[in-house]
Amino acid sequence: HLDVVEDGGGPVPTGGSMTLSCVASGGSHLRNCMGWYRQSPGKERERVATIGTDGQITYERSFKGRFTISKAANDTLYLQMNNLNPEDSAKYICAVDPALCHYLWNDRFAFWGQGTQVTVSS
């Protein structure tokens, strides 16, 4: 079992930047794929990016260039977000799974955090 906890959300002005973090406490063998999703009220949850233990990173097309996913040696996961706009306002959710990332095309991660709210003001 993993406990997944995100941090770093809050209010940010349009054009601003923010870095989110995620800590998954538990067996390291359960953290082969880690990723960020986001969900806004009334919208489907959408994948932002994933990173595997091999360092391979995949971004959904709409986030490439403005968002950067990274992982520290202790498996703390980060999401650097730049040039934010009000459409980026959402709950950002960390997901973790023991499988390799390419097996998670269906978004069925085993462990999910509660999310951290990011609100971009216009």
Side-chain angles (χ1 to χ4, degrees):
H1 178 74
L2 290 181
D3 290 319
V4 181
V5 180
E6 304 92 341
D7 196 9
V12 60
T14 295
S17 298
M18 178 173 278
T19 300
L20 306 179
S21 62
C22 168
V23 175
S25 302
S28 60
H29 65 288
L30 299 176
R31 302 194 290 257
N32 286 327
C33 185
M34 301 181 75
W36 287 102
Y37 287 72
R38 72 180 190 183
Q39 187 165 24
S40 303
K43 292 186 178 180
E44 294 283 325
R45 184 179 62 196
E46 58 180 333
R47 179 185 290 210
V48 175
T50 60
I51 184 168
T53 50
D54 58 359
Q56 184 169 359
I57 292 173
T58 303
Y59 293 97
E60 293 303 297
R61 186 176 300 177
S62 59
F63 301 105
K64 205 167 186 177
R66 285 195 307 129
F67 289 18
T68 302
I69 190 172
S70 62
K71 190 168 62 169
N74 63 358
D75 279 351
T76 298
L77 186 69
Y78 297 97
L79 184 67
Q80 169 72 37
M81 305 182 291
N82 297 322
N83 194 23
L84 288 163
N85 59 67
E87 290 68 41
D88 294 316
S89 296
K91 179 178 285 188
Y92 286 75
I93 306 163
C94 179
V96 185
D97 198 275
L100 298 176
C101 287
H102 64 266
Y103 290 116
L104 295 163
W105 56 270
N106 57 6
D107 301 323
R108 290 184 179 178
F109 282 75
F111 306 104
W112 296 83
Q114 294 294 310
T116 184
Q117 180 67 38
V118 173
T119 302
V120 186
S121 58
S122 56

